[in-house]
Amino acid sequence: MIVLDNEKYHEICSYMRRYKRLAIDCEASLVKKFPDVPRLTLASLLQHDRQLRLRQMHARVNARAAEHLAEYRRRVSTDAGKTLLKMALEMDFSPISLARIIVSAAYPDFPKPDISKMMHNIDTIPDPQLALNVCHCILNDNQEGAIADAARRCIGEEYEIRLKEMARNAGMVFYDEGDLRREGYDKTPDLKMAVPFLYKGMVVNWIESKALFGDHEAHKRYMNDQLTSYVNRFGPGIVIYWLGFLDDIRYHKENDEHIVILHSFPEASEMEFLSYGKESAENKANCT
C-alpha cells in the first residue's frame, strides 16, 4: 500500500473535514482529488474521520432527540422518503445514527433490543413512512450499520487469510489465533511463530494483521490494547497495516525496538530462517 508523510496526511484530513456531504460522496471525491493514494487507504482514513466526528457529536444530538423528532414530523409530510437523510446532511451527522435516535425517540417504551431489530429489519417499524426514511439512511451511509460492519469484517478476514498464505509460502512455521486460544491465551496475535525468524537482523516471534490505515491514534490504541501484551508475552514482532500508515508512527518510543511496522508482507531477501535437513547435518559434521 502506502506510507504517508505528515503533509500529505494532513492535506487529506483537512479535505475530509471541509467536505459537508454524505461520506459515500466524500469517498468518491477523495479518489478524484488524490489519485496517487489507494482507494482502500482513503476509505480507511474517511472511516476514522467519521467515527471521530460521530463520537464528538452523538451525545449532543441524542440530548435533543425530542426536538429532532418534532422537526422530522413537521417536515415529513412535505418531504416524504428522504427527510431524515436531508436532516443528517444539514447536521453533518451520520444518517444511520440519526435514524436510530429518531426511532428510539418515536418509540420510547420499546426496549433497546427491539430498536436494534427495527434498524436491522425496517419492516418491523410500525410507521411505514418512518421505515422508508430509515431505509434511505441505511442505503446512503457506508460508514455505519450492518452493511458497513459486514464489509469491514470481510476485508479484515481477507487480509488475515492472505497473511497465512504468504507465511506458508515463505516457509514459516506458526500457530494462528485459534491454536493459541485452545492453549488458553486470551490476547493473541494473528500469527505466533513456532520457529522464530530474523527480519533485518531482529528476531520476530509474531505477526499482527491490521486491515486499516495506521495513524497515531490507531497505533496508540493497539499498543495499549494488544501489541504491548504481545511483546511482554512473546517478545518482538511485526504489525502490518495493510492499508498504509503515517510515517511518524514507526518512531514511537513505545515501539522500543521490539515492534516493526510494515504495510506489506516482508520480502524474502529481508528474512532469515533456521536451516534444517542435509545442510544442517553437514554443518554439524564440519564442526565435529
Side-chain angles (χ1 to χ4, degrees):
M1 276 292 174
I2 193 170
V3 179
L4 294 183
D5 58 32
N6 272 301
E7 183 178 356
K8 190 73 170 183
Y9 173 75
H10 289 299
E11 182 184 359
I12 295 171
C13 290
S14 296
Y15 184 85
M16 290 188 297
R17 287 161 191 162
R18 293 194 306 267
Y19 198 92
K20 299 301 180 183
R21 296 177 64 188
L22 291 170
I24 196 170
D25 297 323
C26 183
E27 184 175 330
S29 183
L30 282 167
V31 171
K32 293 179 181 178
K33 178 71 174 177
F34 302 100
D36 55 326
V37 181
R39 182 170 193 137
L40 284 177
T41 298
L42 293 170
S44 182
L45 287 166
L46 179 61
Q47 175 192 338
H48 179 266
D49 177 73
R50 293 302 169 112
Q51 286 179 341
L52 178 62
R53 190 179 304 183
L54 178 61
R55 288 198 299 268
Q56 292 172 339
M57 295 182 64
H58 190 274
R60 185 166 66 250
V61 174
N62 192 51
R64 299 179 58 192
E67 296 175 43
H68 296 313
L69 175 61
E71 175 68 8
Y72 160 75
R73 286 172 170 165
R74 184 184 67 80
R75 293 169 54 170
V76 72
S77 60
T78 57
D79 189 18
K82 295 186 178 181
T83 301
L84 277 184
L85 187 61
K86 291 181 178 179
M87 288 175 62
L89 276 169
E90 293 165 7
M91 297 161 62
D92 194 22
F93 190 61
S94 160
I96 286 182
S97 292
L98 179 61
R100 178 181 285 274
I101 288 171
I102 293 297
V103 170
S104 297
Y107 303 101
D109 297 330
F110 282 50
K112 286 185 178 181
D114 287 354
I115 300 298
S116 295
K117 182 180 178 181
M118 290 180 191
M119 295 300 297
H120 284 89
N121 184 2
I122 61 171
D123 291 337
T124 61
I125 298 177
D127 181 349
Q129 200 168 44
L130 179 56
L132 178 61
N133 273 268
V134 172
C135 180
H136 279 295
C137 288
I138 292 172
L139 294 176
N140 287 278
D141 193 337
N142 67 343
Q143 299 298 312
E144 302 293 327
I147 296 174
D149 290 344
R152 285 194 281 267
R153 186 167 56 253
C154 288
I155 292 173
E157 290 176 355
E158 177 186 347
Y159 277 104
E160 286 183 19
I161 292 170
R162 287 188 190 183
L163 174 61
K164 291 180 184 179
E165 290 179 348
M166 291 176 176
R168 290 190 186 100
N169 292 337
M172 294 179 182
V173 183
F174 60 83
Y175 304 105
D176 63 18
E177 284 183 287
D179 298 325
L180 294 172
R181 291 192 185 280
R182 283 190 291 273
E183 293 294 323
Y185 291 102
D186 51 353
K187 291 186 177 181
T188 62
D190 291 306
L191 301 184
K192 164 66 174 68
M193 299 299 117
V195 181
F197 67 94
L198 294 180
Y199 173 77
K200 294 184 176 181
M202 187 189 90
V203 176
V204 173
N205 294 283
W206 52 268
I207 302 177
E208 179 72 5
S209 171
K210 298 296 182 189
L212 45 72
F213 182 86
D215 59 13
H216 288 293
E217 183 180 340
H219 188 60
K220 183 177 181 180
R221 182 173 69 252
Y222 288 129
M223 285 295 299
N224 292 335
D225 294 346
Q226 296 175 316
L227 304 180
T228 300
S229 296
Y230 300 163
V231 171
N232 292 338
R233 185 169 295 176
F234 303 119
I238 291 173
V239 56
I240 304 176
Y241 289 106
W242 294 102
L243 305 188
F245 59 84
L246 182 61
D247 186 50
D248 280 2
I249 71 171
R250 288 189 290 193
Y251 311 111
H252 277 205
K253 63 179 182 179
E254 290 85 356
N255 298 339
D256 194 28
E257 299 182 355
H258 296 306
I259 295 177
V260 173
I261 298 172
L262 303 176
H263 60 80
S264 60
F265 193 79
E267 297 290 336
S269 60
E270 299 171 325
M271 298 183 290
E272 295 180 50
F273 298 92
L274 289 175
S275 298
Y276 294 95
K278 182 178 179 181
E279 182 180 348
S280 295
E282 289 176 351
N283 290 339
K284 184 177 179 180
N286 292 334
C287 293
T288 59

